């Protein structure tokens, strides 16, 4: 199953260094039956993009924690790791596309990595600081999150990840 793992820049560094990455709480996103039901129409690729978008929002939540801890050297970029895994279970207690992964994500299973460009950093930093308030219904905060989400994530082949981390 193709899963989308919300991640951060330090998690990318770990992936390059150790050859695997552990999703926070084993949580990832995928095109689940519940996510498919929440859309009245859409091609497979469009629905996969919805799962990727949920993972990108979760990455923003992870960044809010990192910035809150003073990780100033961490680039303000959302990261989503797309991987093909078998040990995946549904998480109906969370978002429509949420799944649980058993164990880490080995580098060999990664299909692509999606990362914000440096042009998105200001909006992502603002969105990360506002995501919790947005989740609670604050319209100004939702605007800031929307500004971050307006930036498309860039696609990277797994062979480019080490170079990407080195440049970052």
């Amino acid at each position: 199953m193709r899963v989308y793992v919300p991640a951060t820049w330090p998690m990318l560094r770990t992936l390059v260094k150790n050859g695997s990455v552990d999703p926070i709480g084993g949580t990832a996103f995928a095109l689940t039956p519940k996510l498919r039901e929440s859309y009245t129409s859409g091609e497979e690729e469009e629905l996969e993009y919805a799962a990727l978008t949920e993972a990108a929002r979760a990455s923003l939540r992870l960044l809010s924690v990192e910035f809150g801890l003073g990780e100033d050297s961490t680039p303000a970029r959302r990261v989503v790791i797309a991987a093909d895994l078998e040990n995946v279970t549904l998480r109906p207690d969370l978002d429509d596309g949420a799944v649980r992964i058993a164990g880490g994500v080995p580098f060999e299973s990664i299909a692509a990595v999606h990362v914000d460009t440096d042009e998105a950093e200001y909006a992502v930093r603002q969105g990360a600081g506002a995501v919790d308030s947005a989740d609670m219904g604050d319209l100004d905060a939702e605007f800031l999150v929307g500004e971050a989400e307006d930036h498309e994530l860039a696609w990277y082949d797994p062979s480019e990840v080490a170079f990407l981390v080195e440049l970052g």
Side-chain angles (χ1 to χ4, degrees):
M1 172 183 266
R2 174 67 50 94
V3 299
Y4 300 93
V5 179
T8 62
W9 202 262
M11 292 171 74
L12 269 187
R13 286 187 192 120
T14 300
L15 173 65
V16 170
K17 181 179 177 186
N18 299 340
S20 71
V21 65
D22 293 319
I24 305 297
T27 300
F29 297 84
L31 179 51
T32 63
K34 189 174 179 182
L35 182 62
R36 187 180 304 275
E37 288 174 12
S38 68
Y39 288 86
T40 57
S41 66
E43 303 279 329
E44 188 85 6
E45 189 173 309
E46 292 171 308
L47 298 174
E48 287 279 344
Y49 184 75
L52 170 69
T53 301
E54 285 192 23
R57 170 76 65 112
S59 175
L60 198 61
R61 288 184 182 104
L62 294 176
L63 287 171
S64 73
V65 173
E66 285 191 7
F67 292 142
L69 295 174
E71 300 264 346
D72 296 330
S73 65
T74 300
R77 298 184 190 178
R78 296 167 298 160
V79 176
V80 176
I81 300 169
D84 295 315
L85 300 174
E86 292 183 21
N87 288 332
V88 177
T89 55
L90 300 179
R91 289 285 313 264
D93 57 317
L94 294 177
D95 295 336
D96 290 346
V99 295
R100 180 176 303 280
I101 297 173
V105 177
F107 194 85
E108 302 79 40
S109 69
I110 295 174
V113 175
H114 305 271
V115 182
D116 274 312
T117 62
D118 56 350
E119 291 85 23
E121 285 193 32
Y122 178 78
V124 169
R125 187 174 292 278
Q126 297 300 308
V131 70
D132 287 338
S133 295
D135 287 344
M136 299 302 290
D138 182 322
L139 295 179
D140 292 332
E142 183 59 42
F143 176 78
L144 293 174
V145 170
E147 288 287 311
E149 291 177 339
D150 283 345
H151 291 273
E152 289 292 324
L153 299 174
W155 178 93
Y156 293 92
D157 185 86
S159 65
E160 300 172 302
V161 174
F163 185 67
L164 176 67
V165 169
E166 185 179 313
L167 288 177

